[in-house]
C-alpha cells in the first residue's frame, strides 16, 4: 500500500518532466556581416620637399589624415595640378592638405633652406583608380563635363535673376559646384558664379541660376583694377524638356491584379497591403492550432506509460 502511494506521489513529478522533454528546440537567428568597399587608392610623384611655400587662399586647405587622403582630396576637387602635404604629427602621420585650384607649382616661390626637417612635401597631380571625380564632387551625380568648367565670360555688376534671388540663388563652394547645381536644376540655361573674398572661381561664393535665355554682356558693368568679379558658365548638360502630355502619360500607374483590384510593386513587397499578410497570418495560426493536439496526444501517451510503469 505504501508502495502504491509512493508511486502515485511520483506521478505529478513525471508529468512535470514531460513538457520539458516535449519542448521545441530554440532557433538562433543568423546574422550577416556587411563589408564596405575599399576606397580608391591614389598615387602621386614627389616633386620636392620645402621649408616654406605660400599658403593657399582660405577655404582651400583642409585637415588631412595622411598623404593618401591628401592625394584623394586633390583628385576630387579639380582643377588641382599639384598638392602640398604639410606634415603635422610625425607619430600619426596627420597634417594639412594644401591645394591650389587653377595654379601650377612654382619652384621659385618655395625655399628648401632654413629648417632642419622640411615639412612640406610637394606632389604632382595624383592618379587614382577612377578617371572622373566621384558623385560626391558633382552633387547628385551631375555630369562629367561639370568637373572642369570653362567660363564663357567674366564680368562685373551683372544683375541677378528676375526673382531677385528668391529661388534661383544658392551658396556654392566654387565654380565646379555652381555648374553642377545648374546641371541638376530642372531648368538652367546658364549660371553666374559670384566669388567671395577674392576674385577666383575656385573659392566659395554665390551661384545664380538663370532658367532660360542667354548671357547678355550688355547688362554687365565695368570692372575695376582688381579684375572680374563674376564668372559665367553655360549649362553643358541640361536636362531634356519633355512636353506636358508626354510627362503626364509616362507617370507610373497601378497595374491590375487578377481579382480586378490594383497592385503595385511596393505592395508586392508588403504582404499586408495585398491581403497576403492576413492569409499568411491565418495559415500560421492554423498550423499552430493543428500542431497543438499532436503535442497534447504525445504528452498524454507518455504520461500513461509512466503511470503504468510506476503502478
Amino acid at each position: 500500500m505504501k508502495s502504491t502511494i509512493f508511486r502515485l506521489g511520483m506521478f505529478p513529478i513525471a508529468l512535470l518532466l514531460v513538457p520539458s522533454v516535449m519542448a521545441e528546440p530554440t532557433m538562433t537567428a543568423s546574422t550577416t556581416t556587411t563589408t564596405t568597399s575599399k576606397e580608391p587608392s591614389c598615387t602621386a610623384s614627389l616633386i620636392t620637399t620645402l621649408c616654406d611655400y605660400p599658403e593657399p587662399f582660405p577655404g582651400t586647405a583642409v585637415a588631412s589624415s595622411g598623404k593618401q587622403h591628401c592625394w584623394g582630396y586633390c583628385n576630387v576637387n579639380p582643377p588641382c595640378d599639384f598638392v602640398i602635404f604639410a606634415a603635422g604629427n610625425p607619430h600619426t602621420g596627420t597634417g594639412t592638405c594644401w591645394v591650389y585650384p587653377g595654379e601650377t607649382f612654382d619652384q621659385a616661390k618655395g625655399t628648401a633652406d632654413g629648417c632642419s626637417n622640411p615639412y612640406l612635401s610637394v606632389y604632382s597631380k595624383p592618379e587614382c583608380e577612377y578617371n572622373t571625380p566621384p558623385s560626391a564632387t558633382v552633387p547628385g551625380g551631375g555630369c562629367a563635363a561639370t568637373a572642369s568648367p570653362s567660363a564663357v565670360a567674366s564680368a562685373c555688376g551683372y544683375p541677378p535673376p528676375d526673382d531677385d534671388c528668391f529661388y534661383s540663388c544658392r551658396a556654392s563652394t566654387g565654380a565646379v559646384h555652381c555648374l553642377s547645381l545648374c546641371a541638376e536644376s530642372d531648368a538652367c540655361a546658364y549660371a553666374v558664379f559670384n566669388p567671395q573674398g577674392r576674385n577666383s572661381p575656385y573659392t566659395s561664393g554665390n551661384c545664380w541660376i538663370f532658367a532660360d535665355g542667354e548671357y547678355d554682356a550688355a547688362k554687365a558693368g565695368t570692372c575695376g583694377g582688381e579684375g572680374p568679379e563674376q564668372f559665367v558658365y553655360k549649362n553643358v548638360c541640361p536636362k531634356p524638356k519633355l512636353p506636358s502630355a508626354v510627362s503626364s502619360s509616362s507617370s507610373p500607374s497601378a497595374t491590375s491584379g487578377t481579382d480586378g483590384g490594383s497592385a503595385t510593386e511596393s505592395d508586392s513587397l508588403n504582404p499586408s497591403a495585398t491581403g497576403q499578410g492576413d492569409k499568411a497570418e491565418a495559415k500560421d495560426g492554423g498550423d499552430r492550432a493543428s500542431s497543438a493536439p499532436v503535442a497534447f496526444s504525445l504528452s498524454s501517451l507518455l504520461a500513461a506509460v509512466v503511470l503504468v510503469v510506476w503502478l
Side-chain angles (χ1 to χ4, degrees):
M1 186 66 178
K2 294 181 180 181
S3 177
T4 302
I5 296 174
F6 174 75
R7 293 175 182 177
L8 291 175
M10 293 296 295
F11 177 67
I13 299 177
L15 291 180
L16 292 175
L17 295 175
V18 172
S20 63
V21 176
M22 297 299 298
E24 296 181 357
T26 303
M27 301 299 293
T28 303
S30 60
T31 58
T32 57
T33 303
T34 304
T35 57
T36 56
S37 58
K38 182 181 178 182
E39 294 183 359
S41 59
C42 303
T43 57
S45 301
L46 179 65
I47 299 176
T48 185
T49 56
L50 301 172
C51 295
D52 187 35
Y53 194 83
E55 295 186 7
F57 288 97
T60 57
V62 295
S64 178
S65 59
K67 297 177 181 178
Q68 185 70 224
H69 169 268
C70 190
W71 300 339
Y73 181 80
C74 174
N75 185 73
V76 299
N77 287 275
C80 182
D81 189 68
F82 73 101
V83 62
I84 296 180
F85 178 73
N89 191 326
H91 301 287
T92 61
T94 59
T96 306
C97 186
W98 294 358
V99 292
Y100 300 80
E103 299 182 22
T104 57
F105 174 66
D106 189 353
Q107 181 76 39
K109 294 182 179 180
T111 56
D113 301 330
C115 63
S116 58
N117 185 22
Y119 73 104
L120 300 177
S121 300
V122 185
Y123 294 94
S124 61
K125 183 178 181 179
E127 295 181 359
C128 300
E129 291 181 356
Y130 39 71
N131 296 325
T132 58
S135 59
T137 304
V138 183
C143 95
T146 63
S148 301
S150 178
V152 296
S154 55
C156 295
Y158 194 79
D162 295 335
D163 63 351
D164 292 330
C165 285
F166 192 77
Y167 292 108
S168 54
C169 299
R170 306 177 188 177
S172 177
T173 58
V176 174
H177 183 236
C178 181
L179 187 55
S180 298
L181 292 175
C182 177
E184 290 175 356
S185 301
D186 293 333
C188 179
Y190 66 99
V192 175
F193 178 68
N194 302 267
Q196 294 179 345
R198 66 186 182 102
N199 298 337
S200 171
Y202 309 114
T203 187
S204 59
N206 296 317
C207 183
W208 295 352
I209 296 176
F210 292 82
D212 51 24
E214 296 181 356
Y215 170 72
D216 187 358
K219 295 182 179 180
T222 303
C223 295
E226 296 182 356
E229 301 174 350
Q230 297 169 310
F231 300 90
V232 184
Y233 299 92
K234 184 179 180 181
N235 191 358
V236 291
C237 46
K239 291 183 178 180
K241 295 182 179 180
L242 297 177
S244 57
V246 176
S247 60
S248 60
S249 63
S250 62
S251 61
S253 59
T255 57
S256 299
T258 56
D259 57 352
S262 61
T264 61
E265 183 178 357
S266 60
D267 291 340
S268 65
L269 299 178
N270 183 9
S272 61
T274 56
Q276 297 177 2
D278 297 336
K279 295 178 181 178
E281 185 176 354
K283 181 179 182 298
D284 183 57
D287 293 340
R288 290 196 299 267
S290 61
S291 62
V294 177
F296 179 77
S297 299
L298 293 176
S299 302
S300 303
L301 179 60
L302 288 177
V305 172
V306 173
L307 178 61
V308 171
V309 171
W310 283 101
L311 293 178

